[in-house]
Structures are given as C-alpha cells and as structure tokens.
Amino acid sequence: MENFNTTKSTSFYALGLSYKKADAAIRGKFSLNAQAKATLLIQAEAEGIDSLIVTSTCNRTEIYGFAQHPYQLIKLLCANSQGSVEEFQEVAYIYKNHEAINHMFRVGTGLDSQILGDFEIISQIKTAFNESKSNGMVNSFLERLVNSVIQASKKIKTETEISSGATSVSFASVQYIFRNVENIANKNILLFGTGKIGRNTCENLVKHTKHEQITLINRTKDKAEKLAQKLNVIVKDYADLQLELQKADVVVVATGAQNPTVDKAILNLKKPLLILDLSIPKNVNENVNDVEGVTLIHMDHLSQMTDETLENRKLHIPQAEAIIEEIKEEFITWSKNRKFAPTIHALKEKLNSIKDGELNFQRKKLSNFDEQQAELISNRIIQKITNHFVNHLKEGDSMEEGIEWIEKVFQLEQEKSFL
C-alpha cells in the first residue's frame, strides 16, 4: 500500500466516531465546540503535528491528519472532549492512507451521511479546513485532498439525483409531526433553540403550518428575533419557557447546550405533549417519559425513517461512486507524482552537472566544438533518460524501492517531500 506521509515516520489518518456505532449520548461526550477545536489545533501544533483538520457535527466527530501513530490524534480528541480513550476504542474507527482518503471522499459527498445525500457535511469540512489553514496547520497534501473532495461533492450534486427530494433531520421531524399529530392545524408548536437544525426545522414548519401557531424561544433572544422577523413567527423570552411548555402540543428542542435544559421538573402538563429532541448532546432529560402524556423522540429515531425519497436516492449511489473514483484517481496520481518529483529533479540536476563537466572538457579539447548542437543533443538525452525513470516509478510495484535505488546509484541528496 502507498504511504501518504510527510516523513518516513508519519502517515495520513482519518479517525473518529459516528452515528453508525456511537449513540447520541456517546457522540455528545465526544462533541467539540468552537473553543475546543481551536484548543485542539494549538495542542496539535505543540505536539509537532503539522497538518490536521477536525470536524464535529451532531452525527460525527472526526480528525483528519498526519501522525506517527493514531494515538497522537486520539489523545488530542479525548483531551478536548468529555470522552475517554476506553469509550473511543469501543465505538471508533481508524483509517490509514488510502482508506483514510477514501473515507473523506465518502463523508464529504454524502455517501456516509446518516441521511443519504445530505451535503451539509461538506460545508463543515470547508469550515474545518479554513480554521486549520488560518492556523498554519494545512500542508499541500491535505489542501489538495480537501479541494478534490469538494470537487467530487459538487459534481455529484450537479450530475446525479442523490440529493433530490427534501430529506434531512429537520424535514424528517416535520414529517413525523404531521404523521403522528392529529389536527395539526389547531395545535401549538414551540421551537426551543435557533441553531442550524432549529432554523431549518422552523422554516419547514412555517411552510406547512400557520405562522401564528409557532412560538420561538432561544437563550439569546436577539437571535430568535432575527429568525422570527424573517419567518414571521412569535418570540417569547427564555424566562417564559416553562409557561410555553404548558401551552404547547409539540415541542422541538434544538439547542447547543451541553446539559439537558428540559426535564420533568418543568413540565406541568394538562394535555399530551410530543417532544422532538434534535440536539447533540441530548437536551431533553429521559425522565420526561415519567410524565403522563409525554412522547419523547430523539433525532436518531427520525434519521432512521426511510421513505420513498431515500429509496430513490439509493439508485444513484453507483453513479456517485464512479465520480468519486474518477476524482480520487486524479488525486492519487498527483500524490504519486509529487512523491517522486524531488528525486527526478535531483536526478536531472545530477545529469546536467555531468553534462556541463563533459561539455567543458570537449570545449577545451576541440577547436571546432559546436556549443549549440552539443547542448541541444545532451539536453534531449537527459530528458529521455529522466522520462524512462519517471515511467518506471509510475508503473513499478514499489515506488519507494525505485526512488531509493535511483538515489543510491546516482548519489542523490535532496530534501524529502510528501505525497
């Protein structure tokens, strides 16, 4: 397998945990807020890691980067989250070199998303990349890889129908409400939280219900007022949360709090209440199930909802995978060329040095020496020789052995590069 390394002792890794093996509680433990991600980058640099990006969403937390051993990256993740190494080992995945590259392509193009074809993750990868780059934590390998993944994502979105139809956690929550709440037109809906999922849910609700049915509450009221102004819905103070919970028939919780903000202690109900918790970590305490009439649904349940839209999307997976393979192959070719480029450059310099010495000798020896013709012929010979070596390295079974052989025979010395 090809080694994608900055030095002979480091490899490229993708590691983390996702909805596939980690439940919402564990994902919440390993979630990283903006400050934690910033601290992680600083610590990575101090540890001698030169290139790394980190993403943390409701469905996954991942690190992509170079290290001598994956534990260097695992340690950074655990040090900046509430998760332990033992918990990580139970649910995590670690990919190296080719597998790590393939994983980033599948994640960034929505093929590994909890809802197939969900392209929100690519914007989060872009954000993570920009944060790392601004901190000087991106080498040209990682920059080229991220740009290739972005290119694949755009092409798949444009040329396939894998993202056709409205399907997301926020849309699934609205679907669930309409399928399970009778006479929704006369029900009161409370939305608590104005993060991305909260905003999307609110927009979907506005499209399908009356504006006056929806009440919006957020800890920071001005954020709620900005959204309310755009969607023409009612805003209440955070202090009114308990009172509004009593009035509501449906509550959608989508806050970014690290601990539950809704529990049975603040529920004084006189009618049934459906609560949808779309937060990671969970923001609704499981004890609300002790209250008669309460139905609690978490986003993991909503994400498992399969409908005709998702089944139709599956038909376009082969086309999406073909696009990934095409762009990934271009990246791998670039990577290979980049790896042997320093050796070929050093070889050319060595051959040119030999040429210059021989031309100087002949220039002194021959009175009718044709400088221009000799230069032209020798340059062509050097180009043909280097082309043969390039083809050998591209087609050979072991590029590393080929490079070492060329360096040994021609006694080359040059600064090592990475793929």
PDB file of all heavy atoms in Angstrom, residues 311-332:
ATOM      1  N   GLU A 311     -35.195   5.842  -0.761  1.00  0.00           N
ATOM      2  CA  GLU A 311     -35.054   4.671  -1.628  1.00  0.00           C
ATOM      3  C   GLU A 311     -34.665   5.095  -3.042  1.00  0.00           C
ATOM      4  O   GLU A 311     -33.855   4.445  -3.696  1.00  0.00           O
ATOM      5  CB  GLU A 311     -36.366   3.875  -1.651  1.00  0.00           C
ATOM      6  CG  GLU A 311     -36.694   3.181  -0.344  1.00  0.00           C
ATOM      7  CD  GLU A 311     -35.575   2.256   0.125  1.00  0.00           C
ATOM      8  OE1 GLU A 311     -35.084   1.459  -0.697  1.00  0.00           O
ATOM      9  OE2 GLU A 311     -35.185   2.351   1.300  1.00  0.00           O
ATOM     10  N   ASN A 312     -35.233   6.197  -3.503  1.00  0.00           N
ATOM     11  CA  ASN A 312     -34.883   6.698  -4.835  1.00  0.00           C
ATOM     12  C   ASN A 312     -33.427   7.155  -4.883  1.00  0.00           C
ATOM     13  O   ASN A 312     -32.737   6.981  -5.890  1.00  0.00           O
ATOM     14  CB  ASN A 312     -35.801   7.861  -5.229  1.00  0.00           C
ATOM     15  CG  ASN A 312     -37.215   7.390  -5.545  1.00  0.00           C
ATOM     16  OD1 ASN A 312     -37.418   6.222  -5.871  1.00  0.00           O
ATOM     17  ND2 ASN A 312     -38.178   8.288  -5.437  1.00  0.00           N
ATOM     18  N   ARG A 313     -32.962   7.744  -3.807  1.00  0.00           N
ATOM     19  CA  ARG A 313     -31.579   8.216  -3.768  1.00  0.00           C
ATOM     20  C   ARG A 313     -30.586   7.068  -3.899  1.00  0.00           C
ATOM     21  O   ARG A 313     -29.524   7.209  -4.502  1.00  0.00           O
ATOM     22  CB  ARG A 313     -31.319   8.974  -2.458  1.00  0.00           C
ATOM     23  CG  ARG A 313     -32.000  10.323  -2.395  1.00  0.00           C
ATOM     24  CD  ARG A 313     -31.637  11.049  -1.118  1.00  0.00           C
ATOM     25  NE  ARG A 313     -32.240  12.386  -1.088  1.00  0.00           N
ATOM     26  CZ  ARG A 313     -31.910  13.319  -0.220  1.00  0.00           C
ATOM     27  NH1 ARG A 313     -30.989  13.088   0.687  1.00  0.00           N
ATOM     28  NH2 ARG A 313     -32.501  14.500  -0.253  1.00  0.00           N
ATOM     29  N   LYS A 314     -30.929   5.911  -3.330  1.00  0.00           N
ATOM     30  CA  LYS A 314     -30.018   4.768  -3.371  1.00  0.00           C
ATOM     31  C   LYS A 314     -29.710   4.335  -4.798  1.00  0.00           C
ATOM     32  O   LYS A 314     -28.640   3.776  -5.058  1.00  0.00           O
ATOM     33  CB  LYS A 314     -30.612   3.606  -2.576  1.00  0.00           C
ATOM     34  CG  LYS A 314     -30.652   3.835  -1.071  1.00  0.00           C
ATOM     35  CD  LYS A 314     -31.313   2.669  -0.354  1.00  0.00           C
ATOM     36  CE  LYS A 314     -31.406   2.941   1.147  1.00  0.00           C
ATOM     37  NZ  LYS A 314     -32.104   1.839   1.858  1.00  0.00           N
ATOM     38  N   LEU A 315     -30.617   4.584  -5.704  1.00  0.00           N
ATOM     39  CA  LEU A 315     -30.414   4.197  -7.103  1.00  0.00           C
ATOM     40  C   LEU A 315     -29.246   4.946  -7.731  1.00  0.00           C
ATOM     41  O   LEU A 315     -28.678   4.500  -8.728  1.00  0.00           O
ATOM     42  CB  LEU A 315     -31.689   4.463  -7.912  1.00  0.00           C
ATOM     43  CG  LEU A 315     -32.961   3.736  -7.450  1.00  0.00           C
ATOM     44  CD1 LEU A 315     -34.157   4.188  -8.283  1.00  0.00           C
ATOM     45  CD2 LEU A 315     -32.777   2.212  -7.569  1.00  0.00           C
ATOM     46  N   HIS A 316     -28.885   6.100  -7.159  1.00  0.00           N
ATOM     47  CA  HIS A 316     -27.838   6.940  -7.752  1.00  0.00           C
ATOM     48  C   HIS A 316     -26.473   6.736  -7.095  1.00  0.00           C
ATOM     49  O   HIS A 316     -25.514   7.415  -7.453  1.00  0.00           O
ATOM     50  CB  HIS A 316     -28.259   8.415  -7.661  1.00  0.00           C
ATOM     51  CG  HIS A 316     -29.564   8.698  -8.332  1.00  0.00           C
ATOM     52  ND1 HIS A 316     -29.683   8.839  -9.693  1.00  0.00           N
ATOM     53  CD2 HIS A 316     -30.821   8.828  -7.825  1.00  0.00           C
ATOM     54  CE1 HIS A 316     -30.951   9.065 -10.006  1.00  0.00           C
ATOM     55  NE2 HIS A 316     -31.662   9.063  -8.886  1.00  0.00           N
ATOM     56  N   ILE A 317     -26.379   5.794  -6.150  1.00  0.00           N
ATOM     57  CA  ILE A 317     -25.098   5.539  -5.485  1.00  0.00           C
ATOM     58  C   ILE A 317     -24.008   5.107  -6.470  1.00  0.00           C
ATOM     59  O   ILE A 317     -22.891   5.637  -6.414  1.00  0.00           O
ATOM     60  CB  ILE A 317     -25.266   4.503  -4.349  1.00  0.00           C
ATOM     61  CG1 ILE A 317     -26.086   5.112  -3.197  1.00  0.00           C
ATOM     62  CG2 ILE A 317     -23.915   4.024  -3.837  1.00  0.00           C
ATOM     63  CD1 ILE A 317     -26.368   4.138  -2.065  1.00  0.00           C
ATOM     64  N   PRO A 318     -24.289   4.142  -7.389  1.00  0.00           N
ATOM     65  CA  PRO A 318     -23.222   3.735  -8.320  1.00  0.00           C
ATOM     66  C   PRO A 318     -22.660   4.892  -9.148  1.00  0.00           C
ATOM     67  O   PRO A 318     -21.441   4.984  -9.352  1.00  0.00           O
ATOM     68  CB  PRO A 318     -23.913   2.700  -9.221  1.00  0.00           C
ATOM     69  CG  PRO A 318     -25.015   2.148  -8.368  1.00  0.00           C
ATOM     70  CD  PRO A 318     -25.496   3.318  -7.569  1.00  0.00           C
ATOM     71  N   GLN A 319     -23.525   5.798  -9.601  1.00  0.00           N
ATOM     72  CA  GLN A 319     -23.068   6.951 -10.384  1.00  0.00           C
ATOM     73  C   GLN A 319     -22.195   7.864  -9.524  1.00  0.00           C
ATOM     74  O   GLN A 319     -21.164   8.366  -9.978  1.00  0.00           O
ATOM     75  CB  GLN A 319     -24.277   7.723 -10.928  1.00  0.00           C
ATOM     76  CG  GLN A 319     -23.902   8.835 -11.899  1.00  0.00           C
ATOM     77  CD  GLN A 319     -25.110   9.625 -12.376  1.00  0.00           C
ATOM     78  OE1 GLN A 319     -26.261   9.305 -12.028  1.00  0.00           O
ATOM     79  NE2 GLN A 319     -24.869  10.654 -13.168  1.00  0.00           N
ATOM     80  N   ALA A 320     -22.609   8.056  -8.273  1.00  0.00           N
ATOM     81  CA  ALA A 320     -21.822   8.894  -7.357  1.00  0.00           C
ATOM     82  C   ALA A 320     -20.463   8.259  -7.077  1.00  0.00           C
ATOM     83  O   ALA A 320     -19.438   8.936  -7.049  1.00  0.00           O
ATOM     84  CB  ALA A 320     -22.592   9.104  -6.054  1.00  0.00           C
ATOM     85  N   GLU A 321     -20.449   6.954  -6.882  1.00  0.00           N
ATOM     86  CA  GLU A 321     -19.196   6.257  -6.604  1.00  0.00           C
ATOM     87  C   GLU A 321     -18.239   6.321  -7.793  1.00  0.00           C
ATOM     88  O   GLU A 321     -17.021   6.416  -7.617  1.00  0.00           O
ATOM     89  CB  GLU A 321     -19.477   4.807  -6.218  1.00  0.00           C
ATOM     90  CG  GLU A 321     -20.113   4.676  -4.842  1.00  0.00           C
ATOM     91  CD  GLU A 321     -20.444   3.254  -4.456  1.00  0.00           C
ATOM     92  OE1 GLU A 321     -20.688   2.437  -5.374  1.00  0.00           O
ATOM     93  OE2 GLU A 321     -20.467   2.944  -3.251  1.00  0.00           O
ATOM     94  N   ALA A 322     -18.785   6.282  -9.006  1.00  0.00           N
ATOM     95  CA  ALA A 322     -17.944   6.391 -10.202  1.00  0.00           C
ATOM     96  C   ALA A 322     -17.277   7.760 -10.280  1.00  0.00           C
ATOM     97  O   ALA A 322     -16.099   7.880 -10.651  1.00  0.00           O
ATOM     98  CB  ALA A 322     -18.789   6.140 -11.453  1.00  0.00           C
ATOM     99  N   ILE A 323     -18.022   8.804  -9.899  1.00  0.00           N
ATOM    100  CA  ILE A 323     -17.460  10.161  -9.879  1.00  0.00           C
ATOM    101  C   ILE A 323     -16.351  10.249  -8.843  1.00  0.00           C
ATOM    102  O   ILE A 323     -15.288  10.825  -9.088  1.00  0.00           O
ATOM    103  CB  ILE A 323     -18.567  11.199  -9.599  1.00  0.00           C
ATOM    104  CG1 ILE A 323     -19.513  11.298 -10.808  1.00  0.00           C
ATOM    105  CG2 ILE A 323     -17.969  12.576  -9.280  1.00  0.00           C
ATOM    106  CD1 ILE A 323     -20.756  12.134 -10.561  1.00  0.00           C
ATOM    107  N   ILE A 324     -16.588   9.665  -7.674  1.00  0.00           N
ATOM    108  CA  ILE A 324     -15.572   9.664  -6.621  1.00  0.00           C
ATOM    109  C   ILE A 324     -14.300   8.984  -7.108  1.00  0.00           C
ATOM    110  O   ILE A 324     -13.190   9.496  -6.923  1.00  0.00           O
ATOM    111  CB  ILE A 324     -16.096   8.964  -5.348  1.00  0.00           C
ATOM    112  CG1 ILE A 324     -17.146   9.837  -4.655  1.00  0.00           C
ATOM    113  CG2 ILE A 324     -14.951   8.661  -4.375  1.00  0.00           C
ATOM    114  CD1 ILE A 324     -17.834   9.169  -3.488  1.00  0.00           C
ATOM    115  N   GLU A 325     -14.440   7.811  -7.731  1.00  0.00           N
ATOM    116  CA  GLU A 325     -13.272   7.066  -8.206  1.00  0.00           C
ATOM    117  C   GLU A 325     -12.475   7.878  -9.228  1.00  0.00           C
ATOM    118  O   GLU A 325     -11.246   7.871  -9.206  1.00  0.00           O
ATOM    119  CB  GLU A 325     -13.704   5.730  -8.812  1.00  0.00           C
ATOM    120  CG  GLU A 325     -14.112   4.688  -7.787  1.00  0.00           C
ATOM    121  CD  GLU A 325     -13.029   4.440  -6.751  1.00  0.00           C
ATOM    122  OE1 GLU A 325     -11.865   4.214  -7.136  1.00  0.00           O
ATOM    123  OE2 GLU A 325     -13.345   4.477  -5.543  1.00  0.00           O
ATOM    124  N   GLU A 326     -13.180   8.574 -10.091  1.00  0.00           N
ATOM    125  CA  GLU A 326     -12.510   9.375 -11.127  1.00  0.00           C
ATOM    126  C   GLU A 326     -11.666  10.486 -10.492  1.00  0.00           C
ATOM    127  O   GLU A 326     -10.482  10.654 -10.811  1.00  0.00           O
ATOM    128  CB  GLU A 326     -13.564   9.984 -12.058  1.00  0.00           C
ATOM    129  CG  GLU A 326     -13.012  10.956 -13.082  1.00  0.00           C
ATOM    130  CD  GLU A 326     -14.097  11.767 -13.775  1.00  0.00           C
ATOM    131  OE1 GLU A 326     -15.291  11.424 -13.625  1.00  0.00           O
ATOM    132  OE2 GLU A 326     -13.748  12.755 -14.437  1.00  0.00           O
ATOM    133  N   ILE A 327     -12.262  11.233  -9.576  1.00  0.00           N
ATOM    134  CA  ILE A 327     -11.554  12.367  -8.970  1.00  0.00           C
ATOM    135  C   ILE A 327     -10.512  11.877  -7.970  1.00  0.00           C
ATOM    136  O   ILE A 327      -9.424  12.461  -7.853  1.00  0.00           O
ATOM    137  CB  ILE A 327     -12.565  13.326  -8.308  1.00  0.00           C
ATOM    138  CG1 ILE A 327     -13.468  13.940  -9.392  1.00  0.00           C
ATOM    139  CG2 ILE A 327     -11.850  14.425  -7.518  1.00  0.00           C
ATOM    140  CD1 ILE A 327     -14.583  14.799  -8.879  1.00  0.00           C
ATOM    141  N   LYS A 328     -10.812  10.784  -7.287  1.00  0.00           N
ATOM    142  CA  LYS A 328      -9.844  10.217  -6.345  1.00  0.00           C
ATOM    143  C   LYS A 328      -8.603   9.721  -7.092  1.00  0.00           C
ATOM    144  O   LYS A 328      -7.479   9.896  -6.621  1.00  0.00           O
ATOM    145  CB  LYS A 328     -10.486   9.074  -5.558  1.00  0.00           C
ATOM    146  CG  LYS A 328      -9.595   8.540  -4.444  1.00  0.00           C
ATOM    147  CD  LYS A 328     -10.348   7.560  -3.559  1.00  0.00           C
ATOM    148  CE  LYS A 328     -10.674   6.288  -4.305  1.00  0.00           C
ATOM    149  NZ  LYS A 328     -11.292   5.270  -3.434  1.00  0.00           N
ATOM    150  N   GLU A 329      -8.798   9.130  -8.263  1.00  0.00           N
ATOM    151  CA  GLU A 329      -7.667   8.638  -9.048  1.00  0.00           C
ATOM    152  C   GLU A 329      -6.773   9.802  -9.494  1.00  0.00           C
ATOM    153  O   GLU A 329      -5.547   9.683  -9.512  1.00  0.00           O
ATOM    154  CB  GLU A 329      -8.177   7.862 -10.262  1.00  0.00           C
ATOM    155  CG  GLU A 329      -7.089   7.145 -11.043  1.00  0.00           C
ATOM    156  CD  GLU A 329      -6.285   6.171 -10.197  1.00  0.00           C
ATOM    157  OE1 GLU A 329      -6.874   5.505  -9.320  1.00  0.00           O
ATOM    158  OE2 GLU A 329      -5.050   6.098 -10.388  1.00  0.00           O
ATOM    159  N   GLU A 330      -7.409  10.920  -9.845  1.00  0.00           N
ATOM    160  CA  GLU A 330      -6.630  12.114 -10.207  1.00  0.00           C
ATOM    161  C   GLU A 330      -5.778  12.568  -9.017  1.00  0.00           C
ATOM    162  O   GLU A 330      -4.620  12.955  -9.177  1.00  0.00           O
ATOM    163  CB  GLU A 330      -7.570  13.248 -10.633  1.00  0.00           C
ATOM    164  CG  GLU A 330      -8.282  12.997 -11.952  1.00  0.00           C
ATOM    165  CD  GLU A 330      -9.297  14.087 -12.264  1.00  0.00           C
ATOM    166  OE1 GLU A 330      -9.420  15.047 -11.466  1.00  0.00           O
ATOM    167  OE2 GLU A 330      -9.986  13.976 -13.304  1.00  0.00           O
ATOM    168  N   PHE A 331      -6.377  12.514  -7.832  1.00  0.00           N
ATOM    169  CA  PHE A 331      -5.637  12.919  -6.635  1.00  0.00           C
ATOM    170  C   PHE A 331      -4.479  11.959  -6.356  1.00  0.00           C
ATOM    171  O   PHE A 331      -3.365  12.391  -6.036  1.00  0.00           O
ATOM    172  CB  PHE A 331      -6.575  12.970  -5.423  1.00  0.00           C
ATOM    173  CG  PHE A 331      -5.857  13.203  -4.134  1.00  0.00           C
ATOM    174  CD1 PHE A 331      -5.374  14.459  -3.808  1.00  0.00           C
ATOM    175  CD2 PHE A 331      -5.624  12.156  -3.244  1.00  0.00           C
ATOM    176  CE1 PHE A 331      -4.677  14.685  -2.625  1.00  0.00           C
ATOM    177  CE2 PHE A 331      -4.933  12.359  -2.060  1.00  0.00           C
ATOM    178  CZ  PHE A 331      -4.464  13.631  -1.751  1.00  0.00           C
ATOM    179  N   ILE A 332      -4.732  10.652  -6.466  1.00  0.00           N
ATOM    180  CA  ILE A 332      -3.691   9.659  -6.209  1.00  0.00           C
ATOM    181  C   ILE A 332      -2.538   9.840  -7.193  1.00  0.00           C
ATOM    182  O   ILE A 332      -1.356   9.760  -6.816  1.00  0.00           O
ATOM    183  CB  ILE A 332      -4.254   8.224  -6.319  1.00  0.00           C
ATOM    184  CG1 ILE A 332      -5.334   7.981  -5.261  1.00  0.00           C
ATOM    185  CG2 ILE A 332      -3.132   7.198  -6.190  1.00  0.00           C
ATOM    186  CD1 ILE A 332      -4.860   8.046  -3.839  1.00  0.00           C
TER     187      ILE A 332
END
